Amino acid sequence: MKKISNQEYKQLYEQKKPKEKIFLNCVKAFVVGGIICMIGQGINDILVKVMDISKENAASYTSIILVFIAALLTGLGVYDEIGKFAGAGSIVPITGFANSVISPAMEFKKEGMIFGTSAKIFTLAGPVIVFGLLSTWICSFIYYLYRVIAL
Amino acid sequence: MIKNGNQSFNFEKKIYIADTYSVVGPKENSGPLSSYFHKYFSDDLCGKTSYENAEQFMCTTAAEELLMKNNTIKPDIYIGGDLLNQIITTSFTARKLNVPYWGIYSACSSFGEAASVASMCVEAGMKSAVITASSHFSTAERQYRAPLELGNQRPAWAQWTVTGAGAALISDTDVNKNGVMIKGITIGKVVDLGVTDTDNMSAAMVPAAADCIVAHFEDNSIDESYYDFIITGDLTSYGGELLCSLLEQNNIKIKSKHLDCGALIFDTKNQHVYSGGSGCACFSTVFSGYFYQLLCKKAIKRVLCIPTGALLSPTSSQQGESIPGVAHAFRAEVE
Amino acid sequence: MFKVYLSVFIVGGLLCVIGQILLNKTTLKPANILVVYITAGVILSFVGLYEKLVNIGYAGATVPLSGFGYALYKGSKEAIINDGLLGIFTGGLTGTAGGIAAAIIFGFLVALMFNAKTKK
């Protein structure tokens, strides 16, 4: 075969690659993501206004309830269908985080409760918590130094 | 065995593909080729407890049914490959078959490699060999990609792993008088043009297929007019276009003769499969189901089969390595 | 009331659209996007911008994973005010303990009850 450089080949296949319908995908992500957030707001409002729970606790309860709903939908095999349609619309909300915890836990069930479900539960979500804590630690450390110096 | 050129070998004996058997899952069976497959399972778990067990069951079914249909033949060797780590599907099938066994691996081109090795065995004096290649969407997904219930979205150029298994009986006697022969093989080189996107397997495999086709034509001093069809494994229609334009740079025009199993097995417009099928079973089921029947009926007489494989592992791609491709060609002909 | 829900919808939707563009235009996979969002949430809260977004978008800003980052940093900040140095370590997880514990516990229970099915 005639020599073709990696660059030339990349140009060729990028040009032939099937096109992604980005605009349509964004509309779907917008609508589904927006709806999930509205559900969150609804739960929060019910907790605060009807059940008279403090604002801080209501925020935690909202997360827990959304995670529960996502867990149930993942178990029933509905969440991956939503994800197929909505893309980032169902990945970015906390329900997507829950889905990324629960789906490997279910997937590796056959490998046993310890080396399967429990060991694999954070294969996808582990990095999220690591990076979340790491960046929080760095930012809070700066904030702490600022407080020590300023006061 | 006669060596032609650099990497092609033609056989002196008559080596027959005496019979084939194909087993597919539910999604493949609702595709355009459903009437050609020998057997399908409406549940891709096949009543087993894990998808790995289901894949083994499909592979075992394909091999056992094939041997049952041709019970006058006792194969000298079983050669096969699949996608799972340590090729467990094939080895666990061998555990059931009670036939001497060689496991091979060249990703989705495993059927091509198995057919090549098997015909060389027969050329060297063995009476017959049984070959299989299998894959399963759900086992491949967990090993290479993401958990099944993860709500992710893959790009339009991604591929859908075919669930199923294809088996063939390579023999020196044409027990069923089908007349389908393997005339020669071209062993492919590993080609890597720096594709790193693990969703873009087509682009990773096309250079290897092009390289193998060019070598095959040069070695045998023939051109595309010799064949009725040139069949690739799992490039899909996007990869097919890419292959044609890469070959045009080498003055080979196969556009009117090129067919791809990944594009044929699914209805890419109406079935949710992204750009088309992939996996070891993609070529093995389409060849042993569809093309073998066409060859038997003499609807087509000479085909060049080039299953293609992407030789990556999850580790290699996580470490940023590009994806090497490979393709192994064999000539299936009837007289 | 209607206005609140409209801004929740718009802010939440737009945050997801950014994710979708990252998903389609870059090689980032869903797991990478979650990491990007939580880190961005923490940093934006640190510079004080995320608080403003929460005041406009309410749940539209707290439900996306960047809101989880906001909760991490907010918890940490409060703990520093109360406990000093110790707060750097304890505050983040305190703020998000509910969500993380729920994910682990419900995840485990769901995995016990259901089996993963092939995608359609």
Side-chain angles (χ1 to χ4, degrees), chain A residues 90-110:
Chain A
S90 59
I91 293 169
V92 168
I94 191 167
T95 50
F97 170 75
N99 174 247
S100 76
V101 174
I102 294 143
S103 57
M106 283 172 73
E107 181 77 30
F108 294 94
K109 190 179 172 181
K110 272 309 279 181

Side-chain angles (χ1 to χ4, degrees), chain B residues 92-305:
Chain B
F92 286 29
T93 300
R95 178 169 77 176
K96 281 254 177 68
L97 286 188
N98 196 25
V99 174
Y101 161 66
W102 272 347
I104 52 121
Y105 179 81
S106 55
C108 311
S109 64
S110 291
F111 194 80
E113 187 178 343
S116 305
V117 177
S119 34
M120 284 160 67
C121 288
V122 174
E123 175 85 357
M126 285 192 191
K127 298 290 285 175
S128 62
V130 58
I131 62 170
T132 65
S134 65
S135 59
H136 193 299
F137 172 81
S138 300
T139 59
E141 205 64 15
R142 87 143 60 178
Q143 182 176 312
Y144 290 98
R145 298 182 192 101
L148 294 170
E149 300 296 349
L150 185 71
N152 59 349
Q153 215 175 33
R154 296 181 63 211
W157 51 88
Q159 286 165 279
W160 188 277
T161 309
V162 169
T163 300
L169 193 61
I170 314 291
S171 169
D172 64 349
T173 43
D174 194 16
V175 276
N176 298 310
K177 303 274 171 282
N178 288 332
V180 185
M181 282 182 276
I182 295 185
K183 288 272 191 176
I185 56 170
T186 299
I187 304 169
K189 290 179 188 165
V190 172
V191 185
D192 187 339
L193 289 182
V195 178
T196 49
D197 180 1
T198 51
D199 281 322
N200 202 346
M201 298 290 195
S202 304
M205 297 187 290
V206 161
D211 188 73
C212 189
I213 293 171
V214 172
H216 179 81
F217 287 165
E218 273 175 8
D219 288 351
N220 292 303
S221 318
I222 50 174
D223 62 10
E224 59 277 12
S225 61
Y226 180 83
Y227 291 107
D228 295 332
F229 285 108
I230 292 165
I231 306 160
T232 51
D234 48 0
L235 302 179
T236 73
S237 46
Y238 145 59
E241 270 181 46
L242 198 56
L243 177 68
C244 291
S245 58
L246 210 54
L247 285 173
E248 263 169 41
Q249 295 181 0
N250 294 278
N251 296 318
I252 296 173
K253 291 193 172 60
I254 62 161
K255 195 146 203 155
S256 58
K257 297 197 166 181
H258 176 250
L259 288 175
D260 183 79
C261 300
L264 290 171
I265 192 165
F266 292 120
D267 177 359
T268 44
K269 287 226 165 57
N270 299 315
Q271 284 180 296
H272 172 71
V273 292
Y274 312 101
S275 68
S278 71
C280 295
C282 185
F283 182 84
S284 71
T285 55
V286 174
F287 178 80
S288 53
Y290 180 55
F291 287 112
Y292 185 71
Q293 290 186 30
L294 295 186
L295 283 164
C296 290
K297 286 185 210 145
K298 297 193 170 46
I300 51 175
K301 288 192 163 166
R302 290 164 171 178
V303 291
L304 181 64
C305 302

